[in-house]
Amino acid sequence: MSEYAIQIENLVKKFGDLTAVNNVSLNIKSGEIFGLLGPNGAGKSTTINMILGLLTPTSGRVLVDGVNMQQHPEKARQEIGIVTQETVVEPELTAAQNLMIFGKLYHIPASELKKSVDFALDLADLNSFKDAYAGTFSGGMKRRLETAKALMHTPKVLLLDEPTTGLDIQNRTKIWGLLRKINKEQNVTILMTTQYLEEADQLANRIGIIDHGRLIALGTPAELRQKIGMSTLIEASADKDDLPKVAQAFKKAGLEPQVPSNKVVAPNTGKAVDKLEKLMRLLSESKVVVHNISMHEPTIDDVFLKLTGSEVRDQTGEDTSRTRVLMGRR
Amino acid sequence: MSLLGDTYTLFTREMLIFKKNIRVSVVRSLIFPIVFILLLGSFGSSPKNVPVALVNYDGSIASLNFINALQLGNNINVASYTTQQQAMSLLAQGSVAAVIVIPPGFNSDPGSTPTVYVYLDNSQPQSASVVSSVVSKVASEGINNGPTSPVSDPSPGSISVVSDYAYGAGSNYESFVVGGIIIMVAAFGSMFGSGFTVLSDRELGNLKAFLTAPINKYSVLLSKIAYGTVQSAFSAYTALVIGLLIGATIAAGLVGFLELLWVIFLVGLGFGSLSVALASRTKQLQTYALVAQTVTMPMSFLAGAFVPVTLLPGFLQPLATFNPLTYAVNATRDIMIKGSLPLSILISTTIILIAFTCVMVAIAALFFKNTSEQL
């Protein structure tokens, strides 16, 4: 096994005159859980598609377990398990049939196939449903089946594209447990993208943030928090129309507010309690209705906001639509 | 593992899904030909007592026997007239479906073949086909004085008489239409089997899962074509059985039946490839359905599946030459109506359809290269 599970070297992808991925280099160590974050249209999906060999890079290269994806796609893919954004289990097949077919596609020898299917069913905790059609499964069951399907050929790398989007908290926790387990027990390297930053915070050993096609931050969650130099944060939520007024109060209190979608956030500098007190007074004088005001440790959400100027969710920037249009034309 | 191994794995997947949905497939395979049969309005309604004007210029015993034989079974209702002119005017009015003329000397010379002339009103195809088949049947039995052969003649004026060999000896209209329908069903079956599943797999994200698996991506194309061929054969064989139950016949017998299975298989293969070629560039199911229909429908008509090519507008007729379905339809006519498919035609039809398949597979492969970038 090579030292790095995935090596990305000077990766560039251009669609016409739009540079979707701009000279990204990134090494993902064997055995780590890596979270790749970025607003929609930032170049995250384009990067993932190049890692999967679905897109040809304009320049640069991707190595999976030391194998060049562009030169030997079939060999490189043998080492990757993939869980995509769309849940890809065939509803017209049973759980066992779904696993069987993919086991064959990943060239598991016929003699070991049954064992692999059972292993995957165990992993997904779906043993009692093995002959039930996947179409009858709940979203969480499908997702577990899919994750187990991606692991049955014992790949070195598991790539998850937003693995828990749309799942309730119970199923999300189950998936998290599954991921931690296979990472620890089988030393599977995990590369995941997510829009739930707390997910990255909880699971990932290291996080990379992509924006405008560039890798703008890389490090452990703790390092990233440190890097942006925030001790605590003051956050206030109010009706959308009132937000400018709230922001105004923040400024008067000597804070530097940022206004993402539905709240005002400012890093606290200096004596926290003084600033907060002053802010409270100003807010009550301006007679604006504030739903909630809090002071907390910075989360990856805050790091993200500080670095990209936007929230990771509900973001439909200009770049998104442009990338889509350009990709659609090919 | 090889291209073929991966293709086989993906094909077994399609077949598992096919097996699960077998009931839907059966119903569709039944509905498809039945709907076409009803649309074409030729089955289950073979008219009785079709009015026919008969002019007997001969008057011999043989001719009277011939007329009596015609009336057996009450399929046609014969009324006699003294002049052909009188009878033809009734035909022009549409009050009779056909005029049968027995010329003088019908039975005078034992050495020569007796002849009757049949003028058919092909604006009433069902009635005309009944008359045609009754006359043919009786003629082939050769009343009392050896074989007779009916001859259809073009008639002047607004009524044209069908002179296509479809109405030759030993045939019926059912055989003519069923021959066309099975080819059309084969073509449509593939369109829904191959290309359709490419589109639905793309929408479900399955295609992405296949293309990120360590397999040759062309195995995806080949498995879809293989599945489409099976689906097509399933539908078309069902259509053939329904056709035979309804009254179509295969003049070439058991060998002809096997030849039909082969021709259907080739059409399924060719159109499976065509549909994958179309689907490899199409992203939306609706667009695909529209494109598939606008391709398959005209091709079926241009092939003479329902109407003889000779009855199509003149400027369209040359197009039939470039239509692979024409050769398949012609083969079914040879098998079902003419009574034998010459080996040379069997071989040339096979070569044409295989060549068509190869060209389409090449196009599909060319286009599919790009679609892997735009899932």
Side-chain angles (χ1 to χ4, degrees), chain B residues 265-288:
Chain B
F265 167 77
L266 291 174
V267 170
L269 196 63
F271 272 67
S273 316
L274 168 65
S275 79
V276 169
L278 291 176
S280 63
R281 264 292 163 108
T282 321
K283 286 181 108 175
Q284 280 189 319
L285 215 51
Q286 295 92 323
T287 319
Y288 172 76

Side-chain angles (χ1 to χ4, degrees), chain A residues 13 49 52 54-56 73-75 77-78 82 84 86-93 97 101-102 104-107 133 149 161 327-330, chain B residues 1-2 6 8-10 12-13 16-17 20-21 201 203-217 281 283 370 372-375:
Chain A
K13 182 67 190 179
N49 278 340
L52 293 178
L54 289 175
L55 271 178
T56 312
E74 288 178 31
K75 194 162 173 243
R77 281 178 187 145
Q78 191 70 54
I82 297 139
T84 48
E86 318 85 17
T87 307
V88 212
V89 290
E90 174 55 55
E92 311 280 11
L93 295 179
Q97 286 172 336
I101 295 293
F102 272 86
K104 283 186 194 160
L105 287 181
Y106 279 85
H107 306 149
Y133 285 100
K149 187 178 87 182
D161 200 1
M327 286 179 76
R329 267 194 226 134
R330 312 206 134 227
Chain B
M1 273 282 202
S2 59
D6 295 333
Y8 180 72
T9 303
L10 287 169
T12 54
R13 172 183 175 274
L16 283 171
I17 298 171
K20 197 229 162 182
N21 294 328
D201 273 347
E203 273 188 7
L204 288 172
N206 286 328
L207 206 53
K208 190 173 181 178
F210 298 151
L211 292 176
T212 51
I215 58 170
N216 187 319
K217 68 182 164 214
R281 264 292 163 108
K283 286 181 108 175
N370 295 329
S372 60
E373 297 205 345
Q374 50 148 14
L375 287 163

